[in-house]
Amino acid sequence: MMLKKSISVSALVLGLFALIAAGILAITQISTREPIAQAVREANARALLEIVPLEKHSNDLLVDTYPIPQAYWAQLGLPAGGDINLARESDGEITAVIIPSVTLKGYSGPIRMLVGVNRDGTIAGVRVISHTETPGLGDDIELKKSPWVLSFNGRSLKNPPPQRWKVEKDGGDFDQFTGATITPRAVVAQVKAVLDFVEEHHRQIFSAPVSKRAVEVEMPAAKKEMESKR
């Protein structure tokens, strides 16, 4: 009888500890969710402005976006979709777009990047947002580690031609890293996939209307400016 009572008490204590631990984990997850999301937004904002600097657009890149149709998620490697950030001049014309893309062919896992494409089809810039590649080898895809990613600037499907969008080891025009070929090979292929996507849907992308969210942000700002002039 005493043994059964002891087992019951132990089970109750263990259950109580499990409940407390689950509660702590839930609270931690909830309390850190927004800071993590904010950190991601800030990282994306920095990358967007590195690709298309302030002097090259007059709108808010973060809010002027165009949703990527689900039919093209696979081509861009996006498991849950995403938005294209639009860079506009003061007259509203889109001069460049920044497209999220992910390759699953990295050496150590997915490589998430942003690819900026100008209206003329040339690359405005490429930035790797996250990856798990080997430090000292594959992480040269990061701009802070190596200028390699800048080699995409100004390139297009005509420079080089499509068949040469490969690393040199595969007969292409892009450098690979010493001791690491898989990582740059994956990035080069995915950047080309983005260029293919833009070429196929150029008219639709570069004629996208100003997003509702961007309008909502711009209207209060314009009202505030008018009131300050009174």
Side-chain angles (χ1 to χ4, degrees), residues 44-173:
N44 284 346
R46 287 193 297 271
L48 291 174
L49 291 176
E50 286 180 7
I51 295 171
V52 183
L54 282 170
E55 62 270 18
K56 292 189 176 181
H57 65 90
S58 60
N59 62 326
D60 188 334
L61 290 175
L62 279 176
V63 298
D64 197 351
T65 60
Y66 180 75
I68 300 170
Q70 188 171 355
Y72 310 114
W73 291 2
Q75 182 178 2
L76 297 173
L78 303 172
D83 294 323
I84 298 173
N85 297 86
L86 310 171
R88 299 179 189 271
E89 293 184 335
S90 56
D91 61 3
E93 182 179 68
I94 299 172
T95 57
V97 295
I98 301 175
I99 301 174
S101 190
V102 180
T103 175
L104 301 178
K105 296 181 179 180
Y107 182 77
S108 301
I111 300 171
R112 179 171 168 259
M113 65 189 86
L114 294 174
V115 180
V117 183
N118 296 311
R119 176 177 281 273
D120 64 2
T122 59
I123 291 179
V126 176
R127 292 295 184 275
V128 171
I129 303 303
S130 66
H131 69 88
T132 54
E133 300 302 279
T134 307
L137 288 174
D139 65 348
D140 275 355
I141 54 177
E142 291 182 48
L143 183 57
K144 65 181 181 181
K145 300 285 186 178
S146 163
W148 179 81
V149 76
L150 300 179
S151 66
F152 291 107
N153 292 1
R155 301 289 191 131
S156 68
L157 291 176
K158 295 180 181 178
N159 174 32
Q163 65 271 21
R164 294 193 63 81
W165 268 85
K166 305 172 185 176
V167 294
E168 291 179 347
K169 186 176 181 179
D170 298 333
D173 282 18

Side-chain angles (χ1 to χ4, degrees), residues 12-25:
L12 183 62
V13 172
L14 286 173
L16 183 60
F17 272 118
L19 185 62
I20 293 173
I24 292 173
L25 286 174

Side-chain angles (χ1 to χ4, degrees), residues 21-37:
I24 292 173
L25 286 174
I27 292 171
T28 301
Q29 184 178 23
I30 292 171
S31 63
T32 58
R33 185 181 301 158
E34 182 53 34
I36 291 173

